[in-house]
Amino acid sequence: MEEAPPLAVNTDIHSLSTSPGPVGSRLKLLGDEWGERSYIPSVFRAATLKWKEAFLSRKRPFVGRCCHVCTPQSRDKLFNSNIPSLGLHNVIYINETHTRYRGWLARRLCYFLFVQERDVHKDMFPKNVVENVLNSNRVQMAIVEFTETFSVATSMQPDSKLCNKLKRKARTVLKGVVAFISSAFLRAQTAVVDASETSSTVITMQPNHKLINKVKKQTEKVLQEMVAFVSPTLLRLTGWVLLKLFNSFFWSIQIHRGQLEMVKAATELNAPLVFLPVHKSHIDYLLLTFILFCHNIKAPHIAAGNNLNIPIFSTLIRKLGGFFIRRRLDETIDGRKDVLYRAILHTYVEELLLQKQYFEIFLEGTRSRSGKTFPAKAGLLSMVVDTLCAGVIDDVLVIPVGISYDRIIEGNYNSEQLGNPKKNESLWTVARGVCRMLQKNYGCVRVDFAQPFSMKEYLDSQRQMLQPLSLSQTLLPVIIDPSGDYVLYEHEDVVVANARYMSDEARRRHVIATLAKHAMYTATKSCAVMSTHIVACLLLYRHRQGVDLSKLVEDFFSMKEEVLARDFDLGFSGNCDDVVMHALHLLGNCVTVKNTSRNNEFFIIPKTTIPAMFELNFYSNGILHVFIAEAIIACSLLAVLENMSSDLSQGTADGLISQEKLVHKAAGLCHLLAYEVAVALPCQRIYQVCHEAVERIVQYGVLLVAEDDQEPSLSPSEQSWEKKFPDPVTWRSDEEGDSDYDEEQRDRYLKISQLQEHKEFITFLQRLLGPLLEAYSSAAIFVYNFTSPVSETEYMQNLHKYLIARVEKQLSVYGECATLSLVKNTIASFKDLGVFVEKKEGRSTVLELSETFLPHENRQKLVDYILSFSIP
């Protein structure tokens, strides 16, 4: 989609803020600097005024601290109390003061002088990498194994030339023999084939030096295509070019000075650094290298997909530290493990770590098409972990990185979300993309470096590990037998305690997976919330039918305060009215701005076309992680209230809600939406995170705690249930008495505040998860009519067409529920849940219903379970 012309918005920005009358004065009031805390009542005020004023008077939060449970030593090592106060810095704002020179010539040449003074030289980067990798024992053994496998595979097939030669000799010998010996001829023919096979096998079982040399040459070719050859000269030149380009299409690239100080301190520990950023745009590759270059930090080696290995452009990437790897490591014709390629890649990673090089690995594997982070894939990270565990290096420092854009340079991923195939990258598409970028402005960028932590310390903290429960073990019994969910969750501790310890390989995989999840959660939480995220969220889930500009600015201000109150940072500053107009300009494709007759007020309406809803949803998802826990509690309220209305014995006339039951419902929803967004760190318990979310909502005043005399009497079955809560995530001293702790474990009864603004806040939280729940419920309805086994690709296409058709027929409440990303996530979730059974047929996967869901009754239970969380 093309950008909408900004004239209708831009020409009235200043006139709106300075115009006389109630609108102009109202915007003036809202136009205070974002740092001031003049709180304005709106739908998002969710607590008492006294509590809110105290809570919002704090300074800007410092994000990215590492986990105090898994890495307590790292948490204290590189951090000091002065770091949060160092403030933000715009990386692309360079003038003569950033160089050693002064004067008019320095002002003219400041970019050139700046890059020339950067500390980058050849000795910083690895030497003799290709030779060391080729001569390593791992690669040499893999070459021999590959050669033997190839030889055996070849020997299993008859040599056609040898077979034909022996056949001709047999015909010559048998010529003139009487007809009754024809049967003997057939036996001789069979013997000829056997002889050729035996002869071929004998030949090939001998050492084939020619084949080994051929494999070695192929290995060297693969390595030459993979390895990065960093050029300090090209780094400087690219730094100068990027300064020019970034200043032309970005307003600013903000980083926190305190976070950079921690990264610089980590570089002095003489250990390899591994940067693990989120992946939202192709510009991510250059962005981190550029920032580190500007601060005299060695450029990392970047793992890039081989889809970017295109002429000319690939050479540039290699010179800047990029190395190309296959998107899938098992890309052999027969689908088997490519032992040789894995050995080359593993040894290359090991060699770089030995030479203290830095890595940049995108755990998601590809750019996020939904605006949410994808589940982490720990393929390349596992090689780093294996190298550390083998004792080759002493330690590795891990640095999660959050990246936020006002608008990504790709604009949107609507084409792929609509099901169209991804276009292959080429030199022409790169050149066309650069030209397109130069004609537009993409707003601001924010990069947040989380606190570095020791990988060795993290692995040591995972010594005692129990087998985790699968989704089918935790959630499936709740869906099939709703009356047993309370007992299941109550006794989950017993199930885990009695589980066997994992095998070494299973434990290794689980530890690496939790490390990747840990890093991705920290990186996601570090991502700053941008102005486009807030505006898109408000337009979709608060003002879907349209809103006056002044009201939109009001709610924007309040939403901004809510984000800060939850210890998430913002990627913008300035007057709220200007910031909102800036965001509307960047979202011009997706909104309509009308001038009404009411005091020259502007009316903002989100477009209802499928591409517009997809794009707004992409940017709205940038704020989802801020409210996800509270949104899950809000949707779980619906499920609990529905259960209470269907079974009067569990409810009361006063509508009191058991906090225990609410938390158990919320935990089930967290498990169901595990592919969408992470609610907690792997070291945290989801139940305790849900308890803390309930506590926050109680603090806001949205949920009220019932007095003792209001609490309902328990039914006989409820009296026998234990009130056993999980241990809290926060530290508790063993010396503390148990009286207060026991009091905390007592179940409470809650009720929803009847204030209109609190009801609207709950509705807003429920709408945040509306697209996800509609996609999952629609997928469950689609499963209800599922009949025969079908390939996973075909099933995904059919489900996507079904969702798109519902949107086109205006049967969907949320048009953004039909994205291809949600379709893929629902299928993955249903497979983990045990709805589908996978079967491999060649290189394709076939889905068929499990025995549990063959009865339509159980399929209906799945539909009802998901729908119970949705707004009626």
Side-chain angles (χ1 to χ4, degrees), residues 605-624:
I605 307 173
K607 293 180 180 178
T608 57
T609 62
I610 293 179
M613 288 188 288
F614 281 9
E615 186 170 344
L616 282 174
N617 179 251
F618 175 89
Y619 291 103
S620 173
N621 283 336
I623 199 174
L624 181 61

Side-chain angles (χ1 to χ4, degrees), residues 55 60 82 127 150 247 327 421 528 656 829:
F55 201 54
R60 197 167 192 156
N82 296 324
K127 302 175 182 178
F150 182 80
N247 273 286
R327 304 299 292 268
L656 298 182
S829 181

Side-chain angles (χ1 to χ4, degrees), residues 248-380:
S248 66
F249 53 75
F250 288 136
W251 279 16
S252 67
I253 300 177
Q254 297 283 349
I255 60 171
H256 196 289
R257 290 188 179 93
Q259 296 171 352
L260 255 296
E261 287 300 318
M262 291 192 296
V263 175
K264 287 182 179 179
T267 62
E268 298 174 0
L269 298 178
N270 198 30
L273 306 184
V274 177
F275 297 92
L276 302 177
V278 298
H279 199 10
K280 297 181 180 179
S281 171
H282 272 319
I283 209 72
D284 297 340
Y285 297 108
L286 299 174
L287 197 57
L288 248 64
T289 299
F290 172 75
I291 293 173
L292 297 177
F293 167 77
C294 290
H295 292 83
N296 295 322
I297 299 175
K298 182 165 52 180
H301 285 69
I302 309 167
N306 57 2
N307 59 306
L308 296 177
N309 192 0
I310 53 182
I312 302 178
F313 187 67
S314 61
T315 303
L316 175 63
I317 291 179
R318 285 196 189 91
K319 295 290 185 180
L320 297 177
F323 63 96
F324 297 101
I325 60 175
R326 294 175 183 172
R327 304 299 292 268
R328 295 182 180 180
L329 297 185
D330 298 330
E331 285 190 351
T332 56
I333 298 176
D334 54 1
R336 294 183 299 176
K337 286 186 177 182
D338 193 335
V339 179
L340 181 58
Y341 185 83
R342 285 174 174 265
I344 295 171
L345 180 58
H346 195 160
T347 308
Y348 178 56
V349 171
E350 184 178 290
E351 180 64 25
L352 292 180
L353 291 172
L354 271 172
Q355 299 196 34
K356 309 296 183 185
Q357 296 301 305
Y358 303 161
F359 275 92
E360 180 181 334
I361 302 173
F362 295 95
L363 293 178
E364 297 169 84
T366 185
R367 293 164 293 161
S368 171
R369 269 63 172 182
S370 64
K372 306 187 295 285
T373 51
F374 284 154
K377 301 174 183 177
L380 199 59

Side-chain angles (χ1 to χ4, degrees), residues 809-829:
K809 295 176 182 177
Q810 297 183 348
L811 299 176
S812 294
V813 179
Y814 303 96
E816 58 271 26
C817 72
T819 60
L820 186 61
S821 297
L822 278 176
V823 170
K824 292 179 179 178
N825 289 344
T826 57
I827 294 174
S829 181

Side-chain angles (χ1 to χ4, degrees), residues 273-279 284 288 292 300-301 303 358-364 373 376-382 384-385 396-403 447-450 452-453 455 512-524 526-527:
L273 306 184
V274 177
F275 297 92
L276 302 177
V278 298
H279 199 10
D284 297 340
L288 248 64
L292 297 177
H301 285 69
Y358 303 161
F359 275 92
E360 180 181 334
I361 302 173
F362 295 95
L363 293 178
E364 297 169 84
T373 51
K377 301 174 183 177
L380 199 59
L381 182 64
S382 65
V384 178
V385 174
V396 176
L397 296 179
V398 180
I399 307 177
V401 183
I403 306 175
V447 180
D448 286 279
F449 295 88
F453 66 88
M455 183 181 289
I512 294 172
T514 57
L515 172 61
K517 292 177 182 178
H518 215 293
M520 284 307 303
Y521 180 88
T522 305
T524 302
S526 300
C527 290

Side-chain angles (χ1 to χ4, degrees), residues 221 238 373-374 417 446 522 549 556 595 630 694 708 836:
K221 181 181 178 182
T238 305
T373 51
F374 284 154
Q417 292 286 47
R446 174 69 180 273
T522 305
L549 177 61
F556 180 90
N595 192 356
E630 295 162 32
V694 172
D708 292 340
F836 293 120

